[in-house]
Amino acid sequence: MADEIFYACKYTPTELFAGFGTAAHLAETDTSDFQAAATLAHANLCGYAKGMLERLLEDDVHEVVLVTCCDAVKRVFDVLRETEEKHPGRYRFLYLLDLPRKRGPREVALFRARLETLAKSYAETCGKTFDLGRALAALEPTVPLAQDHVTLAGAHASKALLSAVGREVALPVENATCTSRHLPDTLPRSLARMERQGHCEACGPEEKRVPLSAFLDWYAEALLDQMPCMRMQDDTARQKLFSEKGERGIIYHTMKFCDYYGFECRDMKGSVPTVKIETDGSSQSAGQLATRIEAFTETIGAKKQPAATRTDAPVRYVLGIDSGSTSTDAVLMDADGHILATKILATGAKASHAAEAAKAAVLEEAGLSPEDIGLSVATGYGRMNIPGMDTTITEITCHAAGAHFLMPSVRSIIDIGGQDSKAIHLSSEGEVLSFAMNDKCAAGTGRFLEMMARTLELPLDEFCRLGLTWKHEVKISSMCTVFAESEVVSLVAQDTPVPDIIHGLDVSVAAKTVALAKRVHAEGPYLMTGGVAQNAGVVTALSEALGSPVATHPDSQLCGAIGAALLGLQGLKR
């Protein structure tokens, strides 16, 4: 068996195990599902715990140390213990370390005693000897952080998430999530002297325990002196640490089914530009995750991929393409910002084919050739999959620019597209102040309304028109597309008038969208963009729910493509 032990918490004494010659590895895995965890634990266990369980059940894991940082980790330990009871010898070492919730002198002394008990248990179980030099060598030096940086905070950041942030952020990124370890690298003189003398010892006789004892005296306090996680009772220290570091922005990560970190994110917003992202521990939300992070970096001026820059030759025409899940929109604009041609096509099965067709259509309408286009800018979910584009910009930034162009007085955008919904709060100059997107779910989107129209066996245009002729209030209690469809079928069976059902669906979409708007502190004047802006019933329901008129524009659906072309022009003029 390899000398490896797996852990899951920043307070785990990994350096202590290094002193025994054992390498510690964070128990995480990049998986698209949680098949093993689903059979052994509750469905609402957080994604990190599920991923941890998937990793710890693999055949190469024989030593595990977990910390009582939360109930999810305790449940993982229970599953592992049950596994060991069914298959004795499956784990050579399985240990649960109890963590104090405070960092005072008494808690440090208590934690030190628990660390010593852990060390004895490990030495006796595995027959290993502790070496002070190996333990101290495992301490990683603290790297000074640049003043201008971005902090990734909140719940555990997987390798995939760290990689996604690194791809998008041009500034140094500090990992301040709950599993990131930051121990002081300054040692007491006594420890430094013993390290130079090459002390080696076993957890054996009392007279040979001095180096370990001295190490634990310092080490217990050092572990507890890290930036406290949200489970610790001195979480105010976190707020102080964040407010004093001078970040350009904070990317705040929360985990699905984890109750701790959303509260801190709410309290943190306002002092530093902050975006909240949520993952479920799997690799299924990469698209929306990338959009949120990239849009945030555009907002704070920290995007790694630069916008288009000036070329030597003058550019007369710019193409903007918005590749959405339902439609692909193209706008051709001249160097003075005048729209020459537009096209809206169904995206279909391949984003690249729809984009090429939309490009050809606007060129034909304007009487131009592909060689006349000096710059091409892509936005939308399919932006990375369109060949021949000069640059890409997220739909958040593009919708802001496009909405300001169409309606300069707009302060908040409500965008409901085929796949998602967005609320974007703008400054008076049209800059993004904050934004929120729905989760990866069809609820409250154009796709939701399309499916409801199909359930009612109505063409979409008739579905939208009938919703305006309602007479009686009908409440749709579920926003889940599957459950809402069942409700609609039941209402039809009760002979409920179709216009009333449609109005109930419009109101439910509005309610979900208003929740997004409140998260970004939206204010009027409002402009609705995206394909659902053509649905007068939803627009009316939104106006009533927001208590403020929601405007539309004949080119609302083209807003993203217009913004892409405009931002391309602005980049050329800088």
Side-chain angles (χ1 to χ4, degrees):
M1 293 183 183
D3 292 333
E4 296 177 324
I5 192 166
F6 290 81
Y7 74 98
C9 175
K10 67 192 291 181
Y11 295 107
T12 305
T14 60
E15 292 81 8
L16 178 64
F17 289 104
F20 286 103
T22 301
H25 302 292
L26 196 60
E28 63 173 1
T29 186
D30 183 21
T31 180
S32 60
D33 57 59
F34 302 109
Q35 291 186 358
T39 62
L40 297 171
H42 194 277
N44 288 353
L45 195 67
C46 79
Y48 178 50
K50 288 179 182 177
M52 183 198 319
L53 194 52
E54 293 282 335
R55 182 68 184 96
L56 296 178
L57 289 171
E58 292 181 8
D59 292 339
D60 65 326
V61 177
H62 303 287
E63 296 183 9
V64 179
V65 58
L66 299 180
V67 175
T68 58
C69 51
C70 70
D71 290 339
V73 175
K74 294 178 185 177
R75 178 58 187 143
V76 169
F77 184 80
D78 289 342
V79 171
L80 298 181
R81 186 167 53 187
E82 291 166 4
T83 302
E84 173 64 23
E85 290 173 354
K86 292 178 181 178
H87 307 282
R90 168 66 179 81
Y91 296 102
R92 178 168 62 177
F93 186 75
L94 189 59
Y95 198 94
L96 185 63
L97 177 64
D98 200 7
L99 178 70
R101 299 297 172 185
K102 294 183 179 180
R103 301 189 297 171
R106 288 181 296 181
E107 287 75 25
V108 169
L110 177 63
F111 194 46
R112 184 211 174 283
R114 289 172 178 169
L115 290 176
E116 186 168 18
T117 301
L118 167 62
K120 289 179 181 179
S121 176
Y122 191 70
E124 293 169 359
T125 302
C126 301
K128 293 187 176 183
T129 299
F130 177 84
D131 181 278
L132 179 64
R134 289 185 303 203
L136 298 181
L139 290 168
E140 296 184 0
T142 302
V143 179
L145 196 64
Q147 180 67 19
D148 194 15
H149 67 279
V150 170
T151 294
L152 177 61
H156 164 71
S158 65
K159 292 178 182 177
L161 176 56
L162 289 170
S163 177
V165 172
R167 283 195 302 269
E168 304 296 343
V169 181
L171 298 175
V173 177
E174 176 195 21
N175 182 2
T177 59
C178 70
T179 52
S180 177
R181 306 178 82 254
H182 298 283
L183 268 64
D185 55 0
T186 53
L187 299 175
R189 291 182 180 179
S190 58
L191 282 181
R193 184 170 60 253
M194 281 187 278
E195 181 185 14
R196 289 194 300 271
Q197 293 171 355
H199 275 274
C200 222
E201 63 160 312
C203 289
E206 185 72 29
E207 63 274 10
K208 291 187 177 181
R209 228 178 288 159
V210 177
L212 176 63
S213 178
F215 174 69
L216 292 179
D217 288 343
W218 168 82
Y219 189 51
E221 185 172 5
L223 280 172
L224 291 179
D225 202 38
Q226 299 180 84
M227 179 186 288
C229 80
M230 280 294 291
R231 282 86 172 180
M232 305 296 272
Q233 292 185 16
D234 51 356
D235 60 297
T236 53
R238 293 174 57 84
Q239 297 286 340
K240 188 171 184 291
L241 285 167
F242 281 124
S243 64
E244 291 178 350
K245 288 189 299 183
E247 294 96 343
R248 175 85 68 89
I250 296 174
I251 299 173
Y252 203 99
H253 176 230
T254 61
M255 185 71 68
K256 187 176 182 180
F257 299 128
C258 178
D259 295 330
Y260 289 95
Y261 288 94
F263 301 107
E264 182 180 52
C265 183
R266 177 200 61 196
D267 296 338
M268 190 177 294
K269 285 187 174 182
S271 57
V272 179
T274 303
V275 64
K276 178 184 175 183
I277 58 176
E278 181 179 280
T279 65
D280 61 3
S282 72
S283 54
Q284 294 297 300
S285 45
Q288 285 197 339
L289 195 64
T291 296
R292 284 174 165 89
I293 297 172
E294 188 180 346
F296 184 63
T297 62
E298 290 169 353
T299 301
I300 64 174
K303 184 178 178 181
K304 181 165 285 186
Q305 178 186 345
T309 55
R310 180 184 292 276
T311 60
D312 294 334
V315 173
R316 295 180 59 193
Y317 305 105
V318 175
L319 173 69
I321 293 183
D322 183 1
S323 177
S325 61
T326 301
S327 69
T328 296
D329 316 324
V331 168
L332 192 63
M333 189 175 285
D334 66 19
D336 295 321
H338 299 130
I339 297 175
L340 305 180
T342 65
K343 190 65 177 178
I344 299 174
L345 295 174
T347 298
K350 287 188 73 70
S352 57
H353 290 176
E356 192 61 35
K359 175 181 176 180
V362 293
L363 285 172
E364 182 179 358
E365 182 181 337
L368 299 173
S369 67
E371 291 73 24
D372 292 319
I373 299 176
L375 181 71
S376 299
V377 183
T379 189
Y381 273 127
R383 63 187 180 277
M384 298 299 184
N385 302 313
I386 304 176
M389 305 305 289
D390 296 301
T391 190
T392 63
I393 304 173
T394 66
E395 56 268 38
I396 303 294
T397 305
C398 288
H399 272 266
H404 189 68
F405 175 84
L406 296 176
M407 180 178 157
S409 63
V410 65
R411 295 302 302 277
S412 298
I413 302 168
I414 303 296
D415 173 55
I416 305 181
Q419 179 171 308
D420 67 12
S421 303
K422 309 178 192 73
I424 310 170
H425 188 191
L426 305 181
S427 69
S428 57
E429 291 77 31
E431 297 173 340
V432 176
L433 296 177
S434 58
F435 67 91
M437 299 171 61
N438 71 328
D439 299 321
K440 49 175 185 176
C441 177
T445 67
R447 186 74 67 196
F448 171 81
L449 294 170
E450 286 179 7
M451 294 179 71
M452 295 304 107
R454 192 177 305 129
T455 301
L456 292 168
E457 299 181 351
L458 292 171
L460 192 57
D461 57 347
E462 185 178 354
F463 175 90
C464 297
R465 187 173 61 254
L466 282 176
L468 297 172
T469 62
W470 65 280
K471 300 296 183 183
H472 305 95
E473 293 279 359
V474 171
K475 184 174 179 60
I476 306 295
S477 60
S478 176
M479 276 306 302
C480 171
T481 304
V482 176
F483 293 138
E485 185 176 19
S486 297
E487 285 192 60
V488 168
V489 170
S490 297
L491 289 167
V492 170
Q494 297 167 21
D495 210 20
T496 306
V498 170
D500 294 350
I501 297 174
I502 296 173
H503 175 67
L505 292 167
D506 292 343
V507 170
S508 67
V509 170
K512 187 173 181 66
T513 308
V514 167
L516 284 179
K518 289 181 178 179
R519 281 170 52 187
V520 300
H521 306 290
E523 59 181 325
Y526 290 92
L527 176 66
M528 188 168 175
T529 64
V532 181
Q534 300 174 37
N535 187 321
V538 173
V539 176
T540 300
L542 268 172
S543 298
E544 293 175 355
L546 288 166
S548 177
V550 176
T552 61
H553 189 279
D555 290 331
S556 279
Q557 190 168 349
L558 292 163
C559 191
I562 292 171
L566 283 170
L567 291 169
L569 284 175
Q570 292 175 14
L572 289 169
K573 293 175 181 178
R574 281 199 290 266

